[in-house]
Amino acid sequence: MRLVQGTSVSPGLALAPVYVVRASPAEVPTWSVPEDEVARELERLDRALDEARRELTTRQKVVATQAGEKDAEIFGVHRMILSDPGALAQVKKTIREERINSEAAVQALIRRMEQMLGKLEGNSVRNFAADLSDPWRYVLDALMRVERETIASSGSKVILAAAELTPAVMTYLPRERLLGVITESGGRFSHGAVLARSFGVPCVVGLPQLLGRLEQGMVLAVDGERGTVQLRPGEDDIRDFEQRRARRLARTEVLANIAAEPAVTADGFRFGVNVNIESLRDFDGFDRTHCDGVGLLRTEFMYLERPQFPSEDEQFRLYRRVLERMEGQPVTLRTLDIGGDKRLPYFKTPPEPNPALGWRGIRITLQWQDLMRVQIRAALRAGANRPLRILLPMVTSLEEIQLTHEIFDSARASLVEQGHEVEREVPVGMMVEVPSVLFTLHELVRHVDFLSVGTNDLVQYLLAADRDNPWVARLYEPQHPAVVHALAHVAKVANAAQKPCAVCGDIADDPAIVLMLLGMGYDSVSVAPHFMAEIKYALRRTTREQARELARDVLACNDCESVRRTLSAARARLHAD
Ligand code: PEP
Ligand code: MG
């Protein structure tokens, strides 16, 4: 079977050679090497060996000066082991006969050595066996780096294939070189998926054991609409694919005309369509005049891109830049939402058995208050005389909001005392993404200026289905009656308190869902920029009464299937006329 069915997480079509990337240093990719490239593969291995020897020499020198010649001797021994012609001959034989890449052949050698190690008796013999395999790990490291450098410098545009859809995979190559991403696992609402959508890169996940079937450079057709990946498409498939791509392009042109129009319903109601962004680079992908503001600035990605915590000044400059780029339109800055799968390499938190229910978002920043304080100071300075709003992630209780207000007040006071110009009236809002707040929202809403529903998390917590776990991907169903009732409830509470309410989770990518939200009483959504035009298209041909009727119909559904059917009928109506 050359057509593999997975789960679509980001729409679009891509036809290109694949580049298989390892998901973590512990994983070694395997691909087959065509007969006429075996010699080149053997040269790659030789180069990696040289590099490993150089690395061992450097380490020997460093250890010799820091700890003494004796401790450094082991590196010399390792270098000698790498010169053993027997082991090298075995690796080369595997490459030639099995026609696999050097990484996989070296890994096979290490495995054989480790198996041998398991059979040996006595510690000293075992240690000796470990010494035999260890130097080959340097070769593996060198190969992986070489591999990365080759792809990084080649400049070619590729479809990236990896084991898992992580933010690291999504940022492995510059965006302009990334035509598509496919991964063996990963949920539709994982952070990697969020990035794929915001980059506008077609992406399909849930393709178990796919990597073993791919060869480096094999041509693939990735269909981010149907969630399929075709290996080595034939001429007919390519023709069909190109036709669909042309139709999609035509649709894009229709939408391009709508993108600049305001998001006004057919009966004249102005609905807010904002963008979700992660970094300054995102500004290259949209025209700010097409949106009403930044509805969600996920600041953690600005932290993720750095080797250490950004200083107050560095953050100030970043936020200021975002506000400047928006030229007077509001920017909603969400405070640091790390934890879960968004881990900072320089902020090591203990491993948690259940990270989604663990130390994340405001739970971290209120415990390590310096994190919150520095970010708030930077934000208040950047927001001076500019329309900045602050959004708090993962709020669970009133105490968290109150404590945050205290930190705000003291940050503001000390900034003023230090002679900084600050914004005094910065609206502070909360994300609605922890289900318990649904029951206390009538009280919480009084302590914040606006609400923004994070459906990516709300759905996972409400349905007890991990957004990143492919085994429960089917249970993670935003079109679930419980979710729509929760959404309606939030709008009702916000409307009664006369506070603005938005949805910034990815559920709002879907124009039919946006109409339902409008009907429920939401006043805006925030989405990855390229979804704005479809949403405006939907809003501009719907009246508020029609949206209310849709919301009523969806709320009357008792099961997921009826919710899906009702929304799908609304979608079909949009495209019928
Ligand atoms: C959400 O949970 O819906 C959300 C917008 O936040 P994130 O995806 O960054 O967790
Ligand atoms: Mg969230």
Side-chain angles (χ1 to χ4, degrees):
M1 277 294 287
R2 289 188 307 150
L3 187 70
V4 192
Q5 181 69 53
T7 307
S8 161
V9 304
S10 175
L13 304 168
L15 181 71
V18 68
Y19 178 74
V20 184
V21 66
R22 66 186 193 285
S24 70
E27 284 187 40
V28 176
T30 304
W31 64 84
S32 22
V33 175
E35 181 123 41
D36 56 350
E37 284 180 20
V38 167
R40 225 172 60 202
E41 193 61 28
L42 294 172
E43 281 168 26
R44 258 187 87 219
L45 176 68
D46 285 334
R47 277 201 306 277
L49 262 163
D50 286 343
E51 201 176 314
R53 287 193 195 103
R54 279 197 299 276
E55 173 70 22
L56 285 164
T57 308
T58 313
R59 286 182 194 219
Q60 186 171 15
K61 282 188 191 142
V62 172
V63 175
T65 41
Q66 286 173 351
E69 297 282 345
K70 184 120 194 63
D71 285 339
E73 269 171 17
I74 183 67
F75 295 100
V77 175
H78 278 183
R79 225 177 27 245
M80 265 166 50
I81 290 169
L82 280 188
S83 311
D84 167 23
L88 181 59
Q90 276 186 48
V91 177
K92 291 197 165 174
K93 187 163 174 253
T94 313
I95 296 175
R96 263 191 229 103
E97 291 181 1
E98 293 183 30
R99 296 233 314 274
I100 55 171
N101 55 316
S102 310
E103 291 85 340
V106 170
Q107 174 82 331
L109 175 80
I110 294 174
R111 289 233 170 90
R112 276 200 299 277
M113 287 172 164
E114 282 172 352
Q115 273 162 8
M116 190 174 90
L117 172 150
K119 290 192 196 120
L120 293 175
E121 304 259 332
N123 280 345
S124 55
V125 211
R126 273 208 207 108
N127 286 344
F128 174 66
D131 275 347
L132 278 183
S133 67
D134 246 27
W136 285 94
R137 296 194 183 279
Y138 291 94
V139 181
L140 206 48
D141 277 358
L143 279 166
M144 304 278 232
R145 265 203 306 273
V146 171
E147 175 206 352
R148 175 159 190 156
E149 276 157 18
T150 316
I151 181 74
S153 60
S154 78
S156 54
K157 295 187 176 185
V158 293
I159 289 166
L160 209 68
E164 254 183 274
L165 184 61
T166 59
V169 164
M170 284 309 305
T171 48
Y172 191 84
L173 284 180
R175 215 178 299 178
E176 60 278 10
R177 300 204 16 225
L178 200 57
L179 295 185
V181 173
I182 53 175
T183 63
E184 291 190 333
S185 66
R188 190 167 137 51
F189 295 88
S190 66
H191 290 106
V194 169
L195 280 184
R197 283 192 290 277
S198 81
F199 290 179
V201 171
C203 179
V204 177
V205 302
L207 304 157
Q209 273 136 34
L210 181 73
L211 297 195
R213 299 174 59 188
L214 300 179
E215 286 173 19
Q216 213 67 281
M218 177 194 271
V219 172
L220 303 183
V222 173
D223 187 334
E225 330 273 302
R226 298 176 182 162
T228 58
V229 176
Q230 183 147 29
L231 317 187
R232 291 204 179 88
E235 267 176 38
D236 288 350
D237 302 320
I238 292 182
R239 201 173 318 114
D240 176 50
F241 203 81
E242 296 295 7
Q243 277 169 3
R244 289 187 51 221
R245 200 147 60 172
R247 278 202 298 277
R248 197 178 147 78
L249 206 66
R251 173 86 189 138
T252 313
E253 273 161 24
V254 172
L255 291 175
N257 297 326
I258 287 170
E261 301 288 327
V264 180
T265 61
D267 57 328
F269 177 73
R270 185 73 170 82
F271 190 79
V273 178
N274 299 296
V275 288
N276 292 349
I277 63 169
E278 274 95 40
S279 82
L280 283 167
R281 279 197 309 274
D282 289 328
F283 284 105
D284 304 338
F286 71 100
D287 182 333
R288 67 147 200 99
T289 62
H290 294 179
C291 69
D292 296 303
V294 173
L296 174 64
L297 169 61
R298 288 184 165 97
T299 56
E300 55 276 8
F301 288 95
M302 296 179 157
Y303 283 65
L304 271 164
E305 286 171 350
R306 285 176 167 64
Q308 63 202 26
F309 277 113
S311 65
E312 180 184 317
D313 280 343
E314 217 176 328
Q315 292 188 55
F316 161 72
R317 283 194 296 272
L318 275 170
Y319 305 152
R320 188 71 191 219
R321 198 84 197 89
V322 173
L323 283 152
E324 279 167 3
R325 293 292 295 257
M326 289 307 289
E327 295 183 38
Q329 284 171 302
V331 171
T332 309
L333 179 155
R334 184 174 71 184
T335 61
L336 190 60
D337 187 20
I338 46 169
D341 73 335
K342 287 183 285 193
R343 295 188 167 268
L344 301 176
Y346 47 86
F347 183 63
K348 297 263 184 277
T349 50
E352 295 175 75
N354 204 341
L357 298 184
W359 210 35
R360 324 182 23 181
I362 201 165
R363 300 168 180 193
I364 293 185
T365 50
L366 286 185
Q367 189 158 344
W368 291 81
Q369 287 182 17
D370 274 348
L371 287 181
M372 176 75 101
R373 206 167 287 119
V374 169
Q375 186 167 35
I376 293 304
R377 281 176 59 96
L380 290 176
R381 284 170 58 199
N385 308 313
R386 287 176 206 262
L388 177 73
R389 312 194 314 159
I390 303 270
L391 180 58
L392 308 174
M394 289 293 293
V395 171
T396 311
S397 65
L398 180 57
E399 286 82 349
E400 287 165 341
I401 299 174
Q402 285 168 330
L403 185 50
T404 309
H405 280 307
E406 282 169 27
I407 297 175
F408 263 73
D409 292 344
S410 84
R412 199 181 276 114
S414 75
L415 283 168
V416 171
E417 210 177 284
Q418 289 159 5
H420 287 288
E421 202 187 352
V422 293
E423 185 58 40
R424 280 168 198 281
E425 299 300 326
V426 177
V428 176
M430 65 173 270
M431 298 274 297
V432 177
E433 51 187 349
V434 177
S436 62
V437 304
L438 296 172
F439 300 97
T440 51
L441 204 56
H442 55 281
E443 178 59 28
L444 300 184
V445 75
R446 299 198 307 114
H447 300 262
V448 290
D449 300 301
F450 63 96
L451 301 177
S452 191
V453 186
T455 44
N456 303 347
D457 278 314
L458 184 64
V459 172
Q460 81 163 339
Y461 296 129
L462 210 51
L463 304 180
D466 186 341
R467 65 195 262 191
D468 292 313
N469 182 343
W471 298 103
V472 289
R474 269 178 223 291
L475 298 176
Y476 186 105
E477 174 53 281
Q479 298 179 65
H480 187 295
V483 175
V484 294
H485 281 281
L487 285 167
H489 172 72
V490 175
K492 201 167 152 200
V493 175
N495 290 170
Q498 296 186 330
K499 299 277 168 85
C501 72
V503 169
C504 64
D506 289 25
I507 196 177
D509 296 350
D510 181 335
I513 290 186
V514 175
L515 296 182
M516 176 193 83
L517 296 172
L518 163 70
M520 286 174 171
Y522 285 86
D523 45 61
S524 68
V525 288
S526 192
V527 293
H530 62 275
F531 291 107
M532 284 194 296
E534 283 283 8
I535 290 170
K536 287 184 180 179
Y537 177 89
L539 288 166
R540 293 177 63 82
R541 43 187 54 215
T542 308
T543 63
R544 244 187 320 168
E545 191 39 46
Q546 285 170 324
R548 284 192 199 111
E549 198 182 316
L550 174 62
R552 274 196 297 272
D553 288 349
V554 175
L555 285 163
C557 295
N558 295 324
D559 55 20
C560 301
E561 184 46 39
S562 340
V563 175
R564 282 194 291 264
R565 216 178 317 115
T566 310
L567 287 167
S568 154
R571 239 168 262 131
R573 270 199 303 278
L574 280 173
H575 293 281
D577 24 65

